Amino acid sequence: MPSSAELDALRLSLEVALRSVAFSLPFAVLIAWLLTRARFPGRMLFDAFVHLPLVLPPVAVGYVLLILFGVRGPIGGWLRAHFGIELAFTTAGAALATAVMTFPLLVRAIRLSLENVDRGLEEAARTLGASALDRFVSITLPLNVDRGLEEAARTLGASPLDRFVSITLPLMLPGILAGAVTAFSAGLGEFGAVITFASNVPGVTRTLPLALYTAMQSPTGDALALRLALLSFALGLAGLLAAELLVRRVRRLLGP
């Protein structure tokens, strides 16, 4: 039977990874859309900044977060003074550090999916004006509708937001799901940024990798370390397989 320490580490890892994806996913969709569709000065620099966590040491990322979001940092101090929110050395802080480290994975997957969206569909949508329900039925679920509805909707008109919600976003769905599951899986193993920004507090921030690190420091922790390592491998493999299966399933639903 797993010990209470193992169960705590597993629970915290799942909670932190889930919170990190839930927090960063809307921003990742927006950033991916901007990098793919928008043209603005400094776009290349902005793109590099978004992907910076991929090449920076995780400890460096955690240190920057500590400077910015610590209780004496410019953002952390303001949050504490006005809302009573503290992020450093908390579960929420661990989720924030994980979100920052996995954010490029989300953006990259969504961006690749968006680049494969047929722009002709978006341009055709300029002539649409059906209700939100009609647009969802006739466009968002293209395999499961009467094509006559879709053709009828072509005589109507939709705003840019309508086009994004009813056409672009659904076609990005495979990338969104793949990115979310991959980021979740990667979040389960985040170590450097979490331990630097949120520390290694039992029951609060001691996720699976931190629990593994702690067990390795103990002369009698070999058996626990091995179990935690095997659990980490199993969760990571399951996450990657789930991402691939989800993408295949959604692509079959959305079209040939």
Side-chain angles (χ1 to χ4, degrees):
M1 287 291 293
S3 65
S4 59
E6 292 172 84
L7 293 176
D8 275 347
L10 177 59
R11 175 188 60 80
L12 275 173
S13 292
L14 294 173
E15 178 184 348
V16 165
L18 183 61
R19 290 173 68 174
S20 69
V21 172
F23 171 76
S24 57
L25 186 57
F27 298 101
V29 172
L30 175 61
I31 296 300
W33 185 88
L34 285 174
L35 291 175
T36 307
R37 294 288 188 260
R39 294 294 180 267
F40 52 90
R43 178 175 171 272
M44 186 178 297
L45 181 61
F46 180 63
D47 190 2
F49 180 78
V50 168
H51 291 87
L52 200 56
L54 288 177
V55 297
L56 283 178
V59 173
V61 175
Y63 179 67
V64 171
L65 289 175
L66 193 58
I67 292 175
L68 294 176
F69 290 93
V71 292
R72 297 184 179 180
I75 301 177
W78 182 82
L79 288 174
R80 185 184 186 188
H82 291 82
F83 302 102
I85 297 175
E86 293 187 20
L87 293 174
F89 314 119
T90 65
T91 305
L96 174 62
T98 302
V100 172
M101 291 302 301
T102 59
F103 189 73
L105 299 175
L106 266 174
V107 172
R108 193 169 186 84
I110 297 171
R111 185 177 177 183
L112 289 173
S113 182
L114 182 57
E115 287 173 349
N116 291 327
V117 172
D118 185 355
R119 294 299 297 273
L121 291 175
E122 293 179 338
E123 294 304 320
R126 294 179 186 275
T127 62
L128 301 179
S131 68
L133 179 59
D134 287 336
R135 291 194 303 272
F136 178 80
V137 170
S138 61
I139 298 171
T140 307
L141 301 175
L143 277 183
N144 300 323
V145 299
D146 183 353
R147 294 291 184 177
L149 292 175
E150 189 173 331
E151 293 302 321
R154 292 182 186 278
T155 62
L156 306 172
S159 69
L161 179 61
D162 289 332
R163 295 195 302 272
F164 177 79
V165 172
S166 62
I167 291 182
T168 308
L169 190 59
L171 292 175
M172 292 164 61
L173 189 58
I176 292 175
L177 290 176
V181 176
T182 303
F184 177 83
S185 302
L188 293 173
E190 179 52 43
F191 177 80
V194 172
I195 198 171
T196 305
F197 179 58
S199 190
N200 186 10
V201 184
V204 180
T205 64
R206 184 172 291 175
T207 57
L208 277 174
L210 274 67
L212 174 58
Y213 172 78
T214 303
M216 291 172 58
Q217 308 308 305
S218 171
T220 60
D222 289 346
L224 176 58
L226 178 59
R227 290 196 300 271
L228 291 171
L230 291 175
L231 180 58
S232 299
F233 275 113
L235 288 173
L237 182 60
L240 293 175
L241 291 175
E244 182 63 25
L245 292 173
L246 273 174
V247 170
R248 292 184 182 186
R249 175 65 175 170
V250 171
R251 282 176 177 167
R252 282 198 297 268
L253 289 174
L254 289 179

